[in-house]
Amino acid sequence: MPKKSMELLTESMFYVLMALQTGPMCGIDAAEFIERRTRGRVQLGPATLYTILAKFETSVEGRKRTYAVTAKGIEAYRAELERLRQCIMDAEAPEEG
């Protein structure tokens, strides 16, 4: 979850949280997950990735800096997923009137 209250996640933040939903991982593993999941559409460089991770309340395990999503992060991810689903439904709904 972002340390400062943010109403919406950026696309990059959303994908970082998506990666961490699969389990604890280091930053490089998260970047590779995101690139694979998006078939190369989203590529996060180290500066962007670690800036995002620094904004999140993550639990860091060990010397290798393995990041894990917190309960707040799971909540933020699910809320953003629902918001995006609603956007798609609104876009695909027939016009009334």
Side-chain angles (χ1 to χ4, degrees), residues 16 27 32 44 65 68 94:
V16 169
E32 289 173 354
L44 299 182
R65 306 283 291 172

Side-chain angles (χ1 to χ4, degrees), residues 56-87:
F56 286 157
E57 293 173 7
T58 53
S59 92
V60 178
E61 301 170 4
R63 238 176 115 215
K64 188 180 174 188
R65 306 283 291 172
T66 299
Y67 299 89
V69 69
T70 63
K72 287 181 181 180
I74 292 168
E75 182 181 319
Y77 175 77
R78 288 179 180 163
E80 182 65 3
L81 191 56
E82 181 57 29
R83 186 191 75 79
L84 293 169
R85 284 182 178 135
Q86 288 297 312
C87 288

Side-chain angles (χ1 to χ4, degrees), residues 1 9 16 20 26 28 34 36 39 42-45 48-49 52-53 60 64 74-75 80 90 97:
M1 173 76 179
L9 299 175
V16 169
L20 295 176
C26 69
I28 293 169
I34 293 164
R36 275 192 322 272
R39 293 170 295 289
V42 177
Q43 297 178 14
L44 299 182
T48 301
L49 177 64
I52 290 169
L53 287 169
V60 178
K64 188 180 174 188
I74 292 168
E75 182 181 319
E80 182 65 3
D90 292 343

